[in-house]
Amino acid sequence: MKQTLRFIAGLLALLLLCAGCGSGDAKVLDGAAVEEGFAPMEANGMETLQGALGYVATLTSSESGTTHEVRLRYPKSMDEHFNRVMRLAASEEMKQFHLRRSSSKNKNTLTMDYEIKLVDEGIISILLLSKSVVDDAAKIRLIPHNFSLKTGYPLKLGDLFTGKDYEAVLIQRVGEELARAFDGNGPLSAYQNGRDHDRLLKDLAITANDLSSFYLDDGELCFVFEEGRVAPKECGPVVVALPVDSLKDHLAERESISGVEPTPFPTPTPVPTPDHTDTGRKYIALTFDDGPHATQTPRLLDILEEKNVKATFFMLGTCVENNPDIVKQVYDEGHLVCSHTYGHKNLNTLSASGVKSEIDKTDKLIKDIIGHKPKYIRPPYGNANATVKKTANRVLVNWSIDPEDWKHRNAQKIADNVVSAAKDGYIILCHDIYSETVNAVPMIIDRLRAKGYEFVTVDRLFEIYGTNPQAGTIVRMAK
Ligand code: NI
């Protein structure tokens, strides 16, 4: 299990290594250095999603014999169409494996696992990672699939874009990034063979066909090239990642993937009603990040006290250092004090020791004030790769509602965004460093109370819904 996670972490590390080699922020990833030997990762259990898919659970299919060993893990949802696409993908890998090993006398293996990304605006990207080893020769394949949560149907690249020229733009951008990867210190520079930029572009000959294999990850649109397509086979698959923001002139309005227009989660298909609703009550958690702030947080505390609401604060170590008295006040008034790490770094870019330092420093600062370590951590940007999860070894709490208060800076709009997306068991992301957010809080509380919601801290929310979150996993909602 850990090996797969390292495999994925390896990919991320490569992305970062390559980050400086292209122009802008686009990246090229060379799969050659991917760590050998990945095995299936830990079950991600059942993740409740809104919309057509309902949930995603893991299906495992194994086959074992004297000449081969197969273990495939792939996602399953409520939607038959989705399930069919995944089953087909799994059986295709199986077929390719049996073809490869048909004349082999050795014991060969095939493993497949997946990563799932919940992208803004009701899209999920699934990345299947398959590795077959035949006569000690490994072949790694990355197979991305994207689905709309609204319809359950696969998402095509064209669904994300508007106009006719997006294809030409992408072909150009991807070609340029790849060509640069062969230059100077680029990850593929060993294969430049004296070719200049124009010659490389010509050799690569990127076409619209090359764009069909894509996924979305952390604000990036990533294109997967099978091994041997753009670089020698020993490089493995190559991924080119373009920041979504850099493509925004071409993105379709409705299916915008950069989070330009926040849309509430789509109408959910019915999910089983948990026991607690016997009482007719609904529970939700307000969380505040990036503080405490010298003036906004005390103002917020007054509002919460007046409304008799308990909330959860994900504090930055740097702010804890500057405002220890406010931390104490937050704690004394019955709110839950949690960690948002020390310096708001993207933890995915750090080594395990870097991650540990960001967490430990904040733990100590908070413990010195409230007497114990913070129970939960919210990683900055919600980013937590395998290294972060393992290093944190604590429950990581993300969110289910993001009103994008940092962007709108308008109390009415922030309140509208929260109220329209609210569901019981959800976790609301806000920032107690903006006056507009603090101004929105009384509206949020009054309007959701009118709809039957009660506000609780996240640990109480988990307790009520029987969530039982595990250390080293990310939780986004209580149900
Ligand atoms: Ni933050």
Side-chain angles (χ1 to χ4, degrees):
M1 135 207 146
K2 290 189 180 97
Q3 282 171 319
T4 299
L5 298 177
R6 278 216 308 279
F7 170 73
I8 296 162
L11 290 181
L12 290 169
L14 275 167
L15 273 170
L16 296 162
L17 276 177
C18 302
C21 66
S23 74
D25 287 325
K27 286 165 260 179
V28 174
L29 178 156
D30 155 18
V34 161
E35 266 186 69
E36 285 298 306
F38 77 91
M41 70 171 128
E42 201 173 6
N44 23 1
M46 199 173 288
E47 196 158 349
T48 305
L49 299 171
Q50 301 303 317
L53 300 182
Y55 63 84
V56 170
T58 302
L59 265 185
T60 304
S61 108
S62 304
E63 217 183 276
S64 182
T66 48
T67 57
H68 69 288
E69 181 116 24
V70 173
R71 189 172 152 92
L72 306 177
R73 286 158 49 86
Y74 54 98
K76 167 188 167 37
S77 81
M78 259 171 52
D79 184 82
E80 243 332 286
H81 186 81
F82 172 95
N83 294 344
R84 198 160 54 238
V85 172
M86 289 297 122
R87 269 201 310 272
L88 276 173
S91 65
E92 178 63 24
E93 290 312 291
M94 192 78 118
K95 194 174 107 192
Q96 296 295 333
F97 172 63
H98 286 307
L99 275 174
R100 272 191 78 202
R101 72 181 195 88
S102 57
S103 57
S104 168
K105 300 262 186 294
N106 298 317
K107 183 159 181 170
N108 302 303
T109 61
L110 169 68
T111 48
M112 186 174 88
D113 217 309
Y114 70 96
E115 271 218 316
I116 184 164
K117 309 281 179 185
L118 182 57
V119 184
D120 293 353
E121 319 265 343
I123 298 168
I124 58 168
S125 281
I126 287 165
L127 191 57
L128 301 172
L129 308 133
S130 106
K131 181 180 182 182
S132 56
V133 180
V134 172
D135 296 338
D136 290 332
K139 183 180 173 75
I140 291 169
R141 297 220 317 138
L142 303 180
I143 310 122
H145 286 277
N146 308 280
F147 293 89
S148 159
L149 286 177
K150 288 176 193 149
T151 61
Y153 287 115
L155 201 79
K156 294 186 297 295
L157 191 60
D159 297 335
L160 302 174
F161 290 93
T162 182
K164 290 206 158 58
D165 55 348
Y166 76 88
E167 246 178 27
V169 169
L170 291 173
I171 288 169
Q172 167 83 14
R173 289 281 308 276
V174 168
E176 291 286 338
E177 288 311 319
L178 277 169
R180 272 192 208 99
F182 286 89
D183 280 342
N185 296 325
L188 301 172
S189 55
Y191 310 99
Q192 186 183 16
N193 300 332
R195 293 173 293 175
D196 67 9
H197 190 79
D198 289 346
R199 178 71 216 187
L200 282 162
L201 271 183
K202 203 164 166 241
D203 284 356
L204 290 163
I206 304 301
T207 68
N209 265 345
D210 290 313
L211 304 177
S212 60
S213 193
F214 72 95
Y215 63 95
L216 290 153
D217 185 12
D218 260 347
E220 291 178 325
L221 178 57
C222 306
F223 294 96
V224 177
F225 293 84
E226 273 206 42
E227 66 171 41
R229 164 63 188 91
V230 293
K233 277 203 166 169
E234 69 258 31
C235 295
V238 170
V239 177
V240 177
L242 303 176
V244 168
D245 275 349
S246 71
L247 301 165
K248 59 175 176 285
D249 292 350
H250 305 278
L251 292 175
E253 294 263 318
R254 291 282 305 152
E255 286 290 354
S256 160
I257 47 174
S258 58
V260 174
E261 267 311 307
T263 43
F265 277 72
T267 319
T269 24
V271 287
T273 313
D275 293 337
H276 73 277
T277 47
D278 291 347
T279 60
R281 283 182 181 156
K282 295 184 282 190
Y283 297 86
I284 201 159
L286 268 172
T287 66
F288 297 94
D289 287 12
D290 297 5
H293 184 280
T295 52
Q296 297 310 328
T297 306
R299 206 158 73 77
L300 171 64
L301 288 173
D302 288 347
I303 293 167
L304 294 175
E305 185 172 36
E306 190 203 309
K307 299 280 184 191
N308 193 23
V309 162
K310 300 299 178 219
T312 305
F313 290 77
F314 291 93
M315 298 180 175
L316 286 174
T318 48
C319 301
V320 171
E321 266 173 346
N322 291 332
N323 305 291
D325 293 346
I326 302 174
V327 178
K328 178 92 169 72
Q329 191 191 344
V330 170
Y331 179 72
D332 287 345
E333 293 183 5
H335 305 290
L336 187 64
V337 174
C338 295
S339 167
H340 196 36
T341 75
Y342 183 78
H344 211 274
K345 290 179 183 161
N346 177 353
L347 300 182
N348 286 356
T349 67
L350 304 182
S351 64
S353 64
V355 172
K356 189 168 181 319
S357 153
E358 287 291 303
I359 292 171
D360 286 356
K361 270 193 279 183
T362 312
D363 279 355
K364 183 175 184 323
L365 286 163
I366 290 177
K367 189 180 174 191
D368 285 347
I369 299 167
I370 71 171
H372 58 81
K373 281 199 322 194
K375 187 167 183 182
Y376 302 126
I377 297 169
R378 174 170 288 164
Y381 317 102
N383 285 350
N385 61 22
T387 306
V388 175
K389 289 177 187 167
K390 191 173 166 221
T391 308
N393 193 26
R394 216 175 298 173
V395 176
L396 302 168
V397 178
N398 279 347
W399 55 88
S400 19
I401 300 174
D402 179 3
E404 296 193 307
D405 58 337
W406 55 273
K407 180 152 65 187
H408 298 298
R409 308 298 294 274
N410 173 310
Q412 190 66 49
K413 172 98 177 138
I414 295 165
D416 289 350
N417 287 346
V418 170
V419 172
S420 62
K423 297 262 181 278
D424 52 341
Y426 272 15
I427 297 167
I428 302 163
L429 168 67
C430 284
H431 297 84
D432 55 326
I433 53 173
Y434 305 122
S435 61
E436 296 86 345
T437 303
V438 175
N439 293 343
V441 169
M443 290 190 259
I444 292 170
I445 293 171
D446 292 348
R447 287 170 64 185
L448 287 181
R449 271 190 175 150
K451 290 173 165 233
Y453 286 93
E454 284 195 35
F455 292 87
V456 292
T457 55
V458 290
D459 57 350
R460 180 78 188 108
L461 192 72
F462 296 154
E463 206 172 77
I464 291 166
Y465 289 87
T467 311
N468 193 23
Q470 302 298 307
T473 65
I474 298 178
V475 189
R476 298 183 182 85
M477 60 186 78
K479 288 164 54 173

